[in-house]
């Protein structure tokens, strides 16, 4: 059993890792400023410290008070659209908080660090599925900020021996299969919760962003990966760090169009998704699908909820049981 620090552990993806760690008996400390996170997403028995990562002095005290074996770093600004309205904020905040955290870890002798990175590093890929060696050319400031963090961690490895893993998530979706936690963003910009909310009548009808992409049905194709499978990838890379730092793309390896996602929600929910067809959203690549072969080969990871219907089924269960999410806004 280990002792871990999870930043952003009250947020969507982070809270699913916290459950996975707590379920197997690890000790977890969550640091979250609760701007996007939810107190109720953190299980009883897990210490939640409400803190902005910019508060380096408190961070150093936390490291001094606990002997962490590793840090999982989820807390970040993560909205692509917002990053294109305020690029410097994204670069400054994500870079300084992430590398400030890594610095605090190194100074405390905590030499294992797992970063939530993103498929947005790849911009418009030259080919899909996208392997780790593909060109890194972000088309938005969010992706650029994560790329800068990845580069900083590489220097910390070279100079200090920090073992790091960069997990480049594709489209995180779904909810805890036991229904304990799920997705609750404000504002919500992601396709799966918006489509389900439209079907449930708890949100406005959906707008499909673009129907003239060079894809079979004209809508964008994405690789949706279940949030529980993402959590599992974190547990596995922790072991892999014994052999050195790693970078992995994490996706199911299958692409689904926006129309296919709408059809899946209608199939699972048994009711229509009210929607209209609109123009493209700026900065959206036509197709993003991961090759996760390296992750599979080196850690034994395989998606347990790889089918789109599994993702939609767990998300539907969460949103229909909790139409107001955690209800704390
Ligand atoms: N979409 C719609 N209508 C909506 C919302 C989304 O048609 O109201 C479409 C988008 O255009 C896109 C697809 O649904 O084609 C998925 O969009 P999301 O906003 O759910 O996800 P993105 O692919 O834009 O972004 C996600 C993460 C980012 C990450 C990126 C990497 O949210 O943090 O994947 O691929 F950078």
């Amino acid at each position: 059993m280990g002792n871990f620090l999870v930043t952003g552990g009250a947020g969507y993806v982070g809270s699913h890792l916290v459950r996975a760690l707590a379920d197997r008996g690890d000790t977890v400390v969550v640091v979250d400023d609760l701007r996007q996170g939810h107190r109720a997403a953190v299980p009883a028995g897990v210490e939640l410290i409400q803190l902005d990562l910019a508060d380096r002095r408190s961070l150093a005290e936390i490291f001094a008070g606990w002997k962490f074996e590793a840090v999982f770093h989820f807390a970040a600004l993560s909205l692509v659209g917002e990053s294109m309205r305020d690029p410097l904020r994204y670069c400054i905040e994500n870079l300084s908080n992430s590398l400030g955290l890594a610095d605090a870890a190194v100074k405390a002798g905590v030499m294992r660090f797992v970063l939530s990175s993103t498929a947005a590093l790849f911009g418009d890929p030259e080919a899909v599925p996208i392997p780790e060696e593909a060109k890194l050319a972000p088309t938005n400031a969010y992706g650029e900020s994560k790329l800068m963090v990845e580069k900083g961690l590489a220097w910390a490895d070279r100079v200090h021996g920090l073992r790091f893993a960069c997990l480049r998530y594709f489209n995180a979706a779904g909810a805890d299969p036991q229904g304990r936690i799920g997705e609750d963003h404000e504002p919500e910009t992601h396709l799966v919760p918006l489509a389900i909310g439209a079907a449930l009548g708890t949100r406005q009808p959906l707008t499909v962003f673009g129907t003239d992409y060079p894809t079979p049905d004209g809508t964008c194709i994405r690789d949706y990966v279940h949030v529980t499978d993402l959590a599992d990838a974190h547990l596995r890379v922790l072991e892999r760090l014994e052999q050195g730092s790693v970078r992995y793309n994490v996706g199911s390896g299958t692409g689904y169009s926006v129309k296919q996602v709408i059809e899946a929600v209608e199939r699972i929910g048994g009711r229509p998704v009210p929607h209209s067809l609109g123009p493209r959203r700026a900065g959206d690549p036509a197709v993003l699908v991961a090759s996760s072969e390296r992750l599979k080969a080196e850690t034994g990871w395989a998606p347990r909820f790889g089918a789109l219907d599994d993702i939609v089924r767990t998300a539907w269960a969460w949103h229909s049981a909790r139409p107001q999410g955690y209800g704390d806004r």
Side-chain angles (χ1 to χ4, degrees), residues 118 120 142 171 189-191 194 207 209 220 222 281 284 288:
T118 172
Y142 166 63
N171 288 62
T189 62
H190 296 115
L191 178 62
L194 291 179
T207 303
F209 295 147
C220 286
R222 292 288 179 275
R281 184 172 68 177
D284 271 347
L288 283 176

Side-chain angles (χ1 to χ4, degrees), residues 6-18:
V6 182
T7 75
Y12 174 45
V13 185
S15 63
H16 285 78
L17 174 69
V18 169

Side-chain angles (χ1 to χ4, degrees), residues 184-207:
D184 180 3
H185 292 117
E186 187 54 46
E188 186 55 81
T189 62
H190 296 115
L191 178 62
V192 172
L194 291 179
I196 291 175
L200 288 171
T202 54
R203 292 187 185 276
Q204 299 295 313
L206 182 76
T207 303

Side-chain angles (χ1 to χ4, degrees), residues 4 6 27 31 57 61-62 68 79 97 125 130-131 158 177 189-191 203 212 225 275 283 293 306 329:
F4 300 105
V6 182
T27 302
V31 165
R57 185 188 298 212
E61 284 168 10
I62 292 168
F68 296 121
L79 297 179
N97 284 353
I130 307 171
R158 207 157 137 179
T189 62
H190 296 115
L191 178 62
R203 292 187 185 276
D212 58 348
V225 54
H275 66 276
E293 296 311 311
R329 300 205 196 272

